[in-house]
C-alpha cells in the first residue's frame, strides 16, 4: 500500500459485509468511497443491473477521489432464487441479472482499476468478495449465483497472474453463510438448524469477520499473497 492514506472504493457498502468493510477501512485511516444502488453522502449511486452503471460508478468514484484510487473492493452482490421450472424467459432474465451484477460489473470495475494503475499511478489492489458457492456449488435455485462467483474467482486469479509484475495485486475471500440481510431468510425457521448443522463451528460468520479478512487484503497482505482465495466458512467446506 502507498505511504499516503489510501483511497478505496467499496461496492455495496450500504449494508452487510460492505458496510463492515467500509467501517474497518475508515478505522485504519483509509478514505472510503462508498457505493449502493441509491446515492447518499459519501455513497455513489449505481444500480449495477443497468448497462453502463459500472463505468459511471468508476468515473464518479475517481472524481470524488481527485483522480487517485488505490484499491477496489468488489463486494456488491445479489442472491435471488431462480427455480428451473419458471418460464424460459424468466429464468434467462434472472440468470442475466445475477451475472451482470455479480460478475460483469466486477469485471468492468476491475478492468477500469487495472488500466488506472497501468497509467500514471503504479500499482493497486483488488479484493473480491466471492463465495463458498464458487468452489462447492449452490442450491438448485442458484446456478447463476454459483456460476457468477466461480467466474469471479477465475477473473481474480487471471488478474493476479497477469499484472503482479506491475504491482497490481488481487485477493479473493470466499465466505460461507454470513449474518446479513442476504442470508436472513435462510437463518430463521426450520432450515436454520440444517444450515448450522453443516457448519462445524456451529454458527455463521459475522460481517465483521469477513470485513477483517477484506481489510487485511486491502491494506496489509504481503504482495506474495496475490492470487490467494481465503475461505471463511466455519470449516463447512474445507478444501
Ligand atoms: N451473506 C452471505 O451469506 C454471503 C455469503 C457469501 C458471499 N456473500 C457475498 O458478500 C457480498 C455482500 O453480501 P451481503 O451479505 O453483505 O449482502 P447484503 O446485506 O444483501 O448487501 C448487498 C449490498 O450489495 C448492494 N447491491 C445489491 N444489488 C445491487 C445492485 N443491483 N446494484 C448496486 N448495488 C447492489 C446493496 O446495495 P443497496 O443497499 O443499495 O441495495 C448492498 O450494499 C456479496 O457479493 C455476496 O454475494 C455473502
Amino acid at each position: 500500500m502507498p505511504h499516503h492514506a489510501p483511497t478505496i472504493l467499496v461496492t455495496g457498502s450500504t449494508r452487510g459485509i460492505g458496510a463492515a468493510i467500509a467501517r474497518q477501512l475508515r478505522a485504519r485511516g483509509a478514505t472510503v468511497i462508498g457505493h449502493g444502488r441509491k446515492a447518499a453522502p459519501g455513497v455513489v449511486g449505481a444500480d449495477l443491473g443497468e448497462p453502463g452503471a459500472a463505468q459511471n460508478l468508476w468515473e464518479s468514484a475517481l472524481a470524488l477521489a481527485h483522480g487517485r484510487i488505490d484499491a477496489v473492493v468488489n463486494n456488491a452482490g445479489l442472491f435471488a432464487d431462480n427455480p428451473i421450472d419458471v418460464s424460459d424467459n424468466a429464468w434467462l432474465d434472472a440468470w442475466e441479472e445475477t451475472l451482470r451484477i455479480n460478475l460483469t460489473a466486477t469485471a468492468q470495475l476491475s478492468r477500469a482499476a487495472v488500466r488506472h494503475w497501468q497509467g500514471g499511478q503504479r500499482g493497486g489492489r483488488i479484493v473480491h468478495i466471492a463465495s463458498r458457492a464458487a468452489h462447492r456449488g449452490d442450491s438448485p435455485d442458484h446456478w447463476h449465483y454459483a456460476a457468477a462467483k466461480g467466474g469471479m474467482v477465475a477473473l481474480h486469479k487471471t488478474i493476479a497472474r497477469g499484472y503482479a509484475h506491475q504491482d497490481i495485486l488481487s485477493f479473493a475471500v470466499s465466505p460461507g453463510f454470513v449474518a446479513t440481510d442476504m442470508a436472513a431468510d435462510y437463518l430463521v425457521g426450520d432450515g436454520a438448524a440444517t444450515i448450522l448443522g453443516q457448519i462445524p463451528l456451529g454458527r455463521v460468520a459475522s460481517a465483521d469477520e469477513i470485513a477483517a479478512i477484506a481489510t487485511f487484503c486491502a491494506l496489509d497482505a504481503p504482495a506474495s499473497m496475490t492470487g490467494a482465495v481465503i475461505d471463511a466458512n466455519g470449516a463447512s467446506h474445507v478444501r
Side-chain angles (χ1 to χ4, degrees):
M1 273 282 106
H3 295 301
H4 61 272
T7 300
I8 303 179
L9 169 62
V10 180
T11 70
S13 67
T14 47
R15 297 184 276 126
I17 295 168
I21 294 171
R23 216 168 33 243
Q24 291 191 23
L25 288 173
R26 286 190 178 113
R28 290 283 308 277
T31 299
V32 173
I33 313 263
H35 158 258
R37 282 176 298 176
K38 295 205 168 63
V43 172
V44 179
D47 184 337
L48 297 175
E50 300 294 330
Q55 289 98 321
N56 293 339
L57 166 57
W58 176 259
E59 293 304 328
S60 302
L62 204 54
L64 281 175
H66 309 293
R68 180 179 189 113
I69 290 177
D70 298 293
V72 175
V73 181
N74 283 314
N75 166 77
L78 175 70
F79 185 74
D81 291 358
N82 193 21
I84 58 167
D85 55 1
V86 297
S87 74
D88 292 349
N89 283 345
W91 192 85
L92 183 59
D93 284 349
W95 172 276
E96 290 186 337
E97 183 184 34
T98 286
L99 268 286
R100 187 186 291 277
I101 294 167
N102 291 7
L103 180 59
T104 308
T106 289
Q108 290 174 287
L109 287 172
S110 300
R111 173 173 176 258
V114 167
R115 287 168 60 81
H116 177 57
W117 296 324
Q118 287 175 326
Q121 174 191 334
R122 186 177 166 89
R125 291 181 177 224
I126 305 177
V127 182
H128 305 274
I129 308 301
S131 171
R132 179 181 68 178
H135 317 282
R136 190 205 61 164
D138 211 311
S139 80
D141 289 352
H142 296 99
W143 295 18
H144 54 352
Y145 183 82
K149 294 298 188 178
M152 183 187 233
V153 170
L155 170 86
H156 144 66
K157 291 178 178 175
T158 303
I159 292 169
R161 289 171 54 80
Y163 308 100
H165 69 286
Q166 294 173 318
D167 295 331
I168 296 169
L169 310 179
S170 185
F171 305 89
V173 186
S174 284
F177 273 106
V178 185
T180 68
D181 294 348
M182 184 177 280
D185 289 350
Y186 293 82
L187 300 177
V188 292
D190 296 343
T194 308
I195 286 171
L196 292 178
Q198 294 167 349
I199 307 174
L201 186 63
R203 63 170 178 82
V204 302
S206 69
D208 273 327
E209 288 181 290
I210 308 306
I213 302 168
T215 298
F216 170 74
C217 292
L219 298 179
D220 305 312
S224 289
M225 249 184 76
T226 191
V229 183
I230 301 168
D231 287 348
N233 60 48
S236 62
H237 185 68
V238 179
R239 298 186 288 133

